[in-house]
Amino acid sequence: MTTFEKWDSEFRSNNLYAFNGNANGILWLKVRSVCRSEQLARFLSEFNLRLRSQKLGERNVELFHLLEGMPGAMDMLDGFMRVRSNEWYETMGIDEDKLKEDLYKVRYYDWGGDRRNSLDKHLVSRYVKKVSDYDKLVDLRAEMFENTWNYVQNSWYNNWTSYLIESLFKRHPRVVSAVGEIKGVDFFIDDVPIDLKVTYFPAGYMADKLKQMLGNTELTWLRRQARARGITADRTMPDAQQLHVIVEKLSERGHTDILAELDACRRKVVDEARRDSADLMEWLYSKQGEMRFGAENRLFLILIDYSDMSLSWKMKRAFSLIEPCVNGYIDRFDRDTLKEIAFVYNKAKYRSLADVLFVIK
């Protein structure tokens, strides 16, 4: 087995932990990151290199073996990858200033689709398989459009805010970008490969911790508190709607002490995760969706609006808050910053290096 085949096997089996601290493995990742056709052509031209192979996959193998024995190869790759004009996204000519302003045009955050945000499955289950009357189906077009628009708008917002936040990292002098986009690696900090995940404090994790604190689910606890004060909500409504109604009625009738107690519990969950994030990181790895599963090194950038956690989505465009946190984090970064996380997924055991960067309003 060649060294290329060894690292290719580790990569395909989701064992990115094997690459950590191994210069040859890091070289393999960096070569792969410049092997999109346009980036590869630029790299070969810049350093006057020639490859015999014509197929892209074969050129990737040939370039790795060529650089593997070449003095200064890592410096060549790093120099090329630090130039923003070599980034895959840069070829699109994005106007970042305009994009930042456009993000403020998004006024609400409401997913179309089902709980898993799968629009196609939602459309099939809600319309295709349930509506047998064609005229009724036609009458539902506006509702379908609303679902589709919500899904597209939220996906657009998430895509471009994540792009801009990732760019904040890539501008730092200690960061080398994976210019051609490689699965599981967005950039390298001091030769540590990192996949950036921009998200909010996970609702599922919060629900689990609140249940431990309150002795019941958040909704059950609130129902009990409300019922003791003569307040009810229609149990046939979805849970989220019931929760909203109870909170509104408690607030209207002056029972703010109950809401303050619940808010204090939420803050306690967040504060405990900030003090020791290992449990939260293990949860984030083990609760991944199957389609997006990965065991790579991850930096979870978690955005929290303490005044109203449901509005944390707005913080993805709060670059004045995010940028100093990002720069400070990279300035302080060292080999001990990422912590080893062991987790189980579909009965298989994995190891990764990870950390959490909280940005809090």
Side-chain angles (χ1 to χ4, degrees):
M1 178 184 288
T2 66
T3 49
F4 183 93
E5 291 169 336
K6 165 187 163 55
W7 295 117
D8 188 60
S9 175
E10 298 286 15
F11 184 80
R12 293 180 186 279
S13 62
N14 255 308
N15 184 23
L16 272 79
Y17 187 84
F19 291 80
N20 293 315
N22 189 297
N24 192 252
I26 298 302
L27 179 73
W28 188 94
L29 288 173
K30 289 182 178 180
V31 169
R32 187 179 179 93
S33 78
V34 302
C35 276
R36 277 180 177 254
S37 56
E38 184 167 342
Q39 278 74 25
L40 180 57
R42 289 187 183 189
F43 181 79
L44 295 175
S45 175
E46 182 171 333
F47 294 102
N48 197 28
L49 299 174
R50 293 183 179 277
L51 300 177
R52 293 188 300 272
S53 310
Q54 296 302 313
K55 294 182 178 179
L56 191 59
E58 293 173 359
R59 287 162 74 81
N60 186 4
V61 178
E62 187 180 348
L63 179 61
F64 172 75
H65 288 306
L66 175 64
L67 296 181
E68 193 176 20
M70 183 181 293
M74 197 76 84
D75 291 336
M76 291 164 55
L77 285 163
D78 286 353
F80 178 83
M81 294 161 73
R82 280 195 169 100
V83 177
R84 290 207 76 204
S85 60
N86 290 327
E87 290 243 4
W88 178 69
Y89 257 120
E90 285 295 304
T91 61
M92 297 174 65
I94 299 163
D95 184 337
E96 292 192 2
D97 291 333
K98 182 178 184 304
L99 176 56
K100 287 178 180 179
E101 291 301 315
D102 283 350
L103 291 169
Y104 283 93
K105 296 176 182 177
V106 178
R107 298 181 180 180
Y108 61 91
Y109 196 79
D110 182 20
W111 278 106
D114 59 20
R115 290 181 185 177
R116 295 181 180 272
N117 299 330
S118 175
L119 181 63
D120 57 341
K121 291 181 180 178
H122 174 77
L123 294 175
V124 169
S125 64
R126 185 173 178 84
Y127 303 107
V128 175
K129 292 191 174 181
K130 283 191 176 178
V131 181
S132 59
D133 186 321
Y134 182 77
D135 291 333
K136 184 178 180 181
L137 187 68
V138 171
D139 291 339
L140 292 170
R141 280 184 298 182
E143 182 180 303
M144 293 180 215
F145 172 78
E146 187 69 16
N147 268 304
T148 304
W149 169 245
N150 287 341
Y151 181 86
V152 170
Q153 177 178 247
N154 278 24
S155 297
W156 178 88
Y157 180 86
N158 284 341
N159 178 73
W160 291 110
T161 50
S162 293
Y163 160 78
L164 290 169
I165 292 170
E166 189 177 306
S167 295
L168 296 177
F169 282 87
K170 291 178 177 180
R171 289 193 182 99
H172 196 284
R174 291 180 68 183
V175 174
V176 172
S177 169
V179 291
E181 293 201 332
I182 172 174
K183 183 181 183 297
V185 181
D186 291 317
F187 48 77
F188 301 80
I189 306 179
D190 296 349
D191 279 343
V192 179
I194 294 175
D195 181 48
L196 178 65
K197 295 297 182 188
V198 181
T199 186
Y200 317 110
F201 199 87
Y205 184 83
M206 177 65 79
D208 290 346
K209 294 299 179 180
L210 284 178
K211 188 174 182 180
Q212 293 173 22
M213 285 185 184
L214 301 172
N216 283 296
T217 65
E218 180 181 9
L219 178 58
T220 299
W221 183 85
L222 265 179
R223 278 196 199 119
R224 184 172 297 170
Q225 301 301 319
R227 191 163 54 246
R229 291 155 180 83
I231 295 171
T232 60
D234 184 355
R235 297 283 289 265
T236 65
M237 293 189 299
D239 287 356
Q241 187 65 23
Q242 288 185 57
L243 192 69
H244 173 75
V245 168
I246 292 171
V247 167
E248 287 294 303
K249 288 183 176 181
L250 284 169
S251 180
E252 287 171 3
R253 301 182 192 185
H255 300 298
T256 54
D257 56 322
I258 301 302
L259 303 179
E261 182 179 351
L262 183 57
D263 186 58
C265 288
R266 291 195 188 103
R267 286 176 178 248
K268 185 177 180 181
V269 172
V270 174
D271 290 342
E272 288 180 353
R274 292 176 69 189
R275 282 193 295 271
D276 183 0
S277 58
D279 183 60
L280 172 60
M281 290 188 286
E282 190 276 334
W283 190 94
L284 286 165
Y285 273 111
S286 62
K287 301 298 183 181
Q288 297 177 73
E290 191 169 344
M291 293 293 290
R292 298 180 179 179
F293 173 76
E296 59 275 353
N297 300 340
R298 286 183 174 174
L299 172 57
F300 298 99
L301 192 151
I302 297 182
L303 305 163
I304 301 172
D305 184 341
Y306 258 153
S307 64
D308 185 344
M309 292 182 69
S310 69
L311 298 179
S312 295
W313 66 271
K314 294 183 178 181
M315 289 188 61
K316 287 192 80 175
R317 61 195 179 199
F319 302 109
S320 61
L321 295 177
I322 297 169
E323 186 167 6
C325 291
V326 167
N327 289 333
Y329 179 85
I330 303 173
D331 289 340
R332 297 186 299 270
F333 188 91
D334 61 34
R335 288 286 176 175
D336 297 322
T337 297
L338 300 183
K339 304 299 187 292
E340 183 171 321
I341 304 297
F343 67 98
V344 176
Y345 190 88
N346 282 348
K347 299 182 180 179
K349 296 180 179 179
Y350 297 91
R351 284 189 300 168
S352 300
L353 297 179
D355 196 17
V356 177
L357 173 58
F358 291 95
V359 179
I360 294 176
K361 177 182 175 185

